[in-house]
Amino acid sequence: MSEAEAVPSEDALRVMLVEDDDFTRVTLRAALEKFNLQVVAEAADAKNAITKAVEARAQVGIFDLDLGPGPTGIDVANGVRRMLPDIGVVILTSYEDPRLLSASLAQVPRGAGYIVKQSLVDLDFLVEAVVGSLQGRDSTQAPRVDLTDAQIETLRLLACGLTNSEIARARVVEVKSVEQTISRTAKRLGIDGDGTLNQRVALARAYYKLVGSRMSPDVVEFPPS
Amino acid sequence: MNSRRVLGKSLREHIGGRWAISWLLYLVNVPFNMLAITTSIRTEPQGLQWWGWLAVAVAGLLAIAVGFFVADYTILRNRRVRPVAIWVVAAVGAAIGVFRGAVVVLSSSSLGLQPFAVSDLINRMVAGGLLGALALPTGAFVLSVLTTYRSQRGRLIEEKVSMERARLQERGQVQVLRAALAEGVREEVTSTLEGLDTSDPREVSEAIRRTSHRIWEDDNSSDADEPESDTRVRGVLWTALKGNPIPVVPVLVLWGVSATGTTIAANGLLWGMVNLAYSLTALWICLVLANRWIRARPAQWSLAVGSMLLVAYLFVSPISYLLFDPRPPDLALPVLVLNAFWLPLVVVLVTVISGAITSSEIVLANLSSDVNQVQISREALEVERDAALRELAAQLHGTAHSPLVAGSALLAGMNDDDARRRLVEQVGKAVAQIGLRDASGSLVVSLVEIAEPWTGLVDVQVEVDPLLEAQSLPDSVHRTVDRIVEEAIANAYRHGGANVVEVHVGFLPEGVEIEVLDNGVGIEEQAQAGLGYRLFGTATADGWAIENRASGGARLRLTIPN
């Protein structure tokens, strides 16, 4: 739409943005264009991403990991790679570990950069990752928090509000083993069971901190009595 | 003979299959059997004894029942698996007829209703055997054709209706329909609340409940107008009767066979044969004349058939009685009455059967070639309408019930009429809004919503059995189906590299069957997806299976028990 407005130089890198949050996408676009990168396509979902990427012959794609229900940014990146095998991939996300999003996540595409939004204090770093991804070098590995797959999944389900027996059912394990996993996870995350803090709440908060979401209490409207 | 196929089944499968013996046929036979006993009333040593003859009729019925029962559990036991030969069914029919004939003669003579005569016994047994040999295969054939037609039509219609519903949904017609229905419900609720003493929550609660029940029942009372070309069974029978000439030879055979025994028994061999020859000739002339009339004026078929049958009856029965029957009038009257029923019945039966077979084949062919699009559209809209109404009623009964009652309590405190009316309007609107949220109950809609974000990566085709859509699934099952389909699509894409996924959700008596087909690399090369496989395991009672398809890709199948 506004591609005509951008006036990057001839050899500017052709970048596409896949991000479901409009504000982030607009801001990111403005920022990237300051660094002489040409944002040739933008999409908020998988449906548009592939056609737009092909039409605009994008060289690098920046993908948000969490695109809401359905495919993740990694899925979309893999889909785009099928059509444009040489495209560079950067995953830009608030998740400190992709496993926090989903237990059955696909492999991060080969040579992809993984940037956690919270740790992005300097845009140079992002630009570097974009350029690096094109050269196919593993610029930044996806970070891994110091938890096992089982611990992460348990933590995620706990944060979704499931009880221990529900978690046990969902994971097809014994309730006892869920309890153990929870206490080990708490220990790893440095949450002490000293009784001053509800351990479950603390764990849920820790999860939301790891996925980059601030915990503000929902405003609940009570019906008139 | 066996090479002729009707509705895709051979004659042997029709006649020697499931319907070779059926209690439905037995029930059909009951009134005929009761009437037919009148032909046995011949000589009466002590005048007419109706109760005695009634007992004989019942004995005859019991004899047939015993025959049916024995055949069902012995010679015809495996007919559902392996159809028996047509002659076997005819032989069974003959045996039952012979048995009944013997029982009738023996019981009537032992009750002292008539003297025992060997010639009478033989006459009755031969007549019964002939009739049974003809009636049992014919009955089986008719029932089988009708049920086959019904199930084939049902399957075709179901298929078409689900296609059509998807099409309507795409075109937004369903939304319009639902909006209109919701508007109707809103008006109904509003008027209910307006006329109420809203200070009593119990009364309001009761009124809302009644309204929801009325809406719920409303969807059954709406099939008043018949579609133009009715493809239902009775429609096919009706069409068959309307247009077609009477098949002369089958009518003569069926009528002749049924009359042989009684006529010979009544008139003796020589005069009986003469009587029969006379009757058949007279009937033949009448039928030929009737057919000429029907062909010339197909629109006046009923007049033609009716008048010809009347003429036929007038010619055949009373004249043959006057000419050949030695019985006094009060004993012969039942036979004349029987003929008045039996002859038209034979004609109508034979006409309908032969016509129905042809027209049902034509109807099925038309159905599969989409000629009945209008009717299918109508049925789809009706299904959709019923579903929407039920949903609205359920929501009114469940979700909207308490807010409405609470709202009415607020109403009670209001003296200002204007404010009252506004609040009632508001409440009504809220109900309509709930009604418009059609996604809540529909499995198709929720699965399409799950598939939608994958557009561009995976082409997901969702197909849900209309039977499932018609009934409301328990929430837990609905959620499980959603989760499994979600997981299966993700697995097919992530681990199989598929870009086409077909999801079929089917109805089974014991639960919901899910089948997911993809065009990916198959399962050997798929990475073990922990959560997905565990999820399939927990959701199913008798397990699940994933296998490679011959055409490439994987096929996941599982059943979620109720």
Side-chain angles (χ1 to χ4, degrees):
Chain A
M1 279 160 263
S2 51
E3 276 162 37
E5 292 164 21
V7 279
S9 62
E10 284 288 293
D11 57 344
L13 261 182
R14 306 164 65 79
V15 178
M16 94 168 295
L17 290 177
V18 181
E19 161 72 65
D20 60 339
D21 181 44
D22 292 341
F23 177 73
T24 315
R25 202 170 62 238
V26 171
T27 323
L28 205 55
R29 175 201 178 103
L32 288 171
E33 281 174 352
K34 284 234 158 57
F35 283 86
N36 201 22
L37 296 172
Q38 192 184 354
V39 177
V40 290
E42 289 176 38
D45 52 30
K47 188 170 25 178
N48 296 311
I50 301 207
T51 43
K52 285 192 177 168
V54 174
E55 269 169 26
R57 286 176 291 112
Q59 291 169 292
V60 179
I62 301 179
F63 299 88
D64 185 16
L65 181 62
D66 184 1
L67 295 173
T72 65
I74 295 180
D75 291 324
V76 179
N78 281 325
V80 174
R81 267 271 170 91
R82 283 192 198 168
M83 305 301 291
L84 302 169
D86 295 329
I87 195 169
V89 173
V90 174
I91 307 286
L92 180 65
T93 175
S94 61
Y95 284 72
E96 295 209 9
D97 183 328
R99 290 176 298 162
L100 291 161
L101 176 61
S102 159
S104 58
L105 208 62
Q107 291 286 308
V108 175
R110 185 176 35 83
Y114 189 101
I115 296 175
V116 180
K117 285 176 186 167
Q118 296 90 304
S119 62
L120 194 65
V121 287
D122 189 346
L123 271 177
D124 281 336
F125 188 58
L126 176 62
V127 175
E128 210 172 280
V130 168
V131 176
S133 75
L134 191 63
Q135 292 159 358
R137 63 165 194 257
D138 268 2
S139 48
T140 30
Q141 284 288 336
R144 291 174 76 87
V145 296
D146 184 21
L147 293 172
T148 64
D149 287 0
Q151 286 168 341
I152 284 188
E153 201 191 322
T154 308
L155 184 62
R156 194 168 58 83
L157 295 172
L158 179 148
C160 289
L162 269 61
T163 64
N164 281 2
S165 62
E166 283 167 342
I167 296 174
R169 247 166 52 91
R171 302 204 57 239
V172 201
V173 293
E174 297 292 311
V175 177
K176 194 169 263 175
S177 124
V178 172
E179 286 163 4
Q180 275 176 9
T181 313
I182 289 178
S183 73
R184 285 210 193 103
T185 311
K187 200 178 274 174
R188 288 255 177 106
L189 293 173
I191 295 164
D192 300 325
D194 61 358
T196 55
L197 192 64
N198 183 314
Q199 192 196 41
R200 265 188 125 64
V201 176
L203 278 168
R205 294 185 73 99
Y207 171 81
Y208 283 109
K209 188 155 176 282
L210 283 173
V211 302
S213 142
R214 270 201 203 111
M215 297 278 291
S216 54
D218 286 336
V219 180
V220 181
E221 271 184 64
F222 292 98
S225 53
Chain B
M1 202 54 183
N2 273 0
S3 59
R4 167 109 168 83
R5 296 181 80 81
V6 177
L7 297 179
K9 281 186 183 173
S10 67
L11 290 182
R12 184 191 172 122
E13 281 167 309
H14 276 302
I15 295 173
R18 183 245 172 286
W19 294 102
I21 282 280
S22 79
W23 293 99
L24 187 61
L25 194 62
Y26 182 79
L27 280 182
V28 173
N29 135 80
V30 169
F32 296 133
N33 191 73
M34 298 303 281
L35 274 175
I37 205 67
T38 54
T39 63
S40 298
I41 305 173
R42 218 158 55 83
T43 45
E44 294 278 349
Q46 303 96 17
L48 202 56
Q49 291 180 343
W50 284 110
W51 287 110
W53 284 107
L54 194 64
V56 173
V58 171
L61 270 180
L62 284 177
I64 299 178
V66 168
F68 266 50
F69 192 79
V70 171
D72 200 1
Y73 284 94
T74 57
I75 193 161
L76 297 175
R77 198 184 52 219
N78 290 324
R79 64 186 187 278
R80 285 183 179 79
V81 187
R82 231 163 51 91
V84 298
I86 297 171
W87 68 263
V88 175
V89 181
V92 168
I96 295 174
V98 168
F99 182 49
R100 176 191 171 272
V103 166
V104 165
V105 171
L106 293 175
S107 63
S108 61
S109 59
S110 64
L111 282 172
L113 295 171
Q114 60 181 6
F116 176 77
V118 177
S119 66
D120 195 27
L121 182 67
I122 293 172
N123 268 340
R124 286 282 151 196
M125 284 167 68
V126 170
L130 281 174
L131 195 57
L134 197 70
L136 197 64
T138 313
F141 181 62
V142 172
L143 288 179
S144 169
V145 166
L146 291 183
T147 48
T148 311
Y149 171 72
R150 233 180 93 150
S151 73
Q152 288 189 5
R153 175 195 175 267
R155 205 168 35 75
L156 273 170
I157 292 273
E158 244 170 47
E159 221 168 76
K160 299 269 170 206
V161 164
S162 74
M163 272 163 50
E164 184 61 17
R165 282 184 77 188
R167 204 170 64 87
L168 291 174
Q169 237 144 18
E170 266 168 28
R171 291 206 322 224
Q173 287 189 0
V174 169
Q175 271 67 25
V176 176
L177 175 79
R178 280 174 180 268
L181 289 173
E183 180 58 26
V185 170
R186 186 184 70 77
E187 273 168 17
E188 202 155 337
V189 170
T190 312
S191 65
T192 309
L193 287 183
E194 265 168 356
L196 270 182
D197 172 16
T198 41
S199 61
D200 184 358
R202 259 180 318 182
E203 196 183 321
V204 175
S205 168
E206 209 24 66
I208 294 165
R209 244 176 216 138
R210 272 202 308 274
T211 310
S212 67
H213 288 161
R214 200 169 52 239
I215 297 167
W216 185 274
E217 274 143 25
D218 187 39
D219 62 347
N220 296 324
S221 58
S222 64
D223 45 3
D225 50 336
E226 287 285 301
E228 259 176 45
S229 110
D230 192 349
T231 67
R232 279 171 286 196
V233 170
R234 64 166 186 269
V236 168
L237 293 180
W238 191 235
T239 336
L241 187 62
K242 262 198 307 201
N244 296 307
I246 305 166
V248 176
V249 177
V251 168
L252 290 178
V253 169
L254 192 60
W255 190 81
V257 166
S258 69
T260 307
T262 50
T263 317
I264 293 173
N267 310 145
L269 186 62
L270 180 64
W271 284 112
M273 292 311 279
V274 174
N275 185 355
L276 207 62
Y278 160 76
S279 301
L280 285 173
T281 316
L283 186 57
W284 176 68
I285 293 170
C286 294
L287 290 175
V288 170
L289 286 176
N291 273 351
R292 285 183 69 170
W293 195 321
I294 292 173
R295 287 206 182 88
R297 299 178 184 75
Q300 290 162 328
W301 59 273
S302 54
L303 188 71
V305 173
S307 52
M308 282 304 138
L309 289 177
L310 194 66
V311 172
Y313 171 65
L314 285 177
F315 264 102
V316 178
S317 281
I319 295 180
S320 78
Y321 167 73
L322 286 178
L323 290 178
F324 311 106
D325 207 325
R327 290 179 290 182
D330 67 327
L331 287 183
L333 192 64
V335 185
L336 296 184
V337 173
L338 173 73
N339 256 344
F341 283 104
W342 181 235
L343 184 59
L345 204 85
V346 168
V347 172
V348 170
L349 263 183
V350 173
T351 311
V352 166
I353 291 163
S354 69
I357 292 163
T358 347
S359 50
S360 63
E361 283 189 321
I362 294 170
V363 169
L364 281 186
N366 283 351
L367 264 186
S368 30
S369 66
D370 253 350
V371 171
N372 287 282
Q373 192 54 44
V374 178
Q375 191 183 346
I376 290 163
S377 268
R378 249 197 82 207
E379 290 206 20
L381 269 179
E382 255 170 37
V383 171
E384 194 59 53
R385 177 184 165 281
D386 290 355
L389 267 183
R390 279 173 177 274
E391 225 168 79
L392 276 169
Q395 279 160 349
L396 187 56
H397 197 281
T399 330
H401 184 260
S402 4
L404 283 176
V405 177
S408 73
L410 278 177
L411 283 178
M414 284 189 189
N415 295 322
D416 179 2
D417 272 356
D418 226 28
R420 248 184 86 110
R421 206 170 41 246
R422 272 205 307 277
L423 191 59
V424 168
E425 262 314 297
Q426 286 291 317
V427 171
K429 266 189 196 142
V431 175
Q433 276 304 314
I434 297 171
L436 282 176
R437 240 184 19 215
D438 58 345
S440 58
S442 164
L443 197 55
V444 176
V445 174
S446 80
L447 291 184
V448 167
E449 269 171 10
I450 286 169
E452 207 276 333
W454 290 93
T455 324
L457 299 179
V458 186
D459 177 13
V460 183
Q461 290 146 19
V462 175
E463 185 194 84
V464 176
D465 192 334
L467 270 176
L468 265 184
E469 279 292 277
Q471 55 174 271
S472 59
L473 278 180
D475 267 0
S476 60
V477 177
H478 193 139
R479 270 202 307 273
T480 313
V481 174
D482 283 356
R483 274 202 73 194
I484 284 178
V485 170
E486 202 173 355
E487 197 61 36
I489 296 173
N491 271 354
Y493 174 76
R494 288 175 185 154
H495 307 296
N499 59 11
V500 178
V501 171
E502 282 174 47
V503 179
H504 304 278
V505 186
F507 172 81
L508 293 178
E510 64 269 22
V512 178
E513 184 191 48
I514 304 180
E515 187 186 43
V516 181
L517 307 169
D518 70 49
N519 68 342
V521 295
I523 41 165
E524 272 90 355
E525 281 141 272
Q526 282 191 16
Q528 284 296 311
L531 177 67
Y533 288 132
R534 265 184 281 133
L535 179 67
F536 302 154
T538 35
T540 58
D542 50 358
W544 52 278
I546 187 163
E547 67 201 19
N548 283 326
R549 298 160 72 196
S551 52
R555 174 169 181 262
L556 167 72
R557 244 165 63 126
L558 47 80
T559 307
I560 303 167
N562 283 329

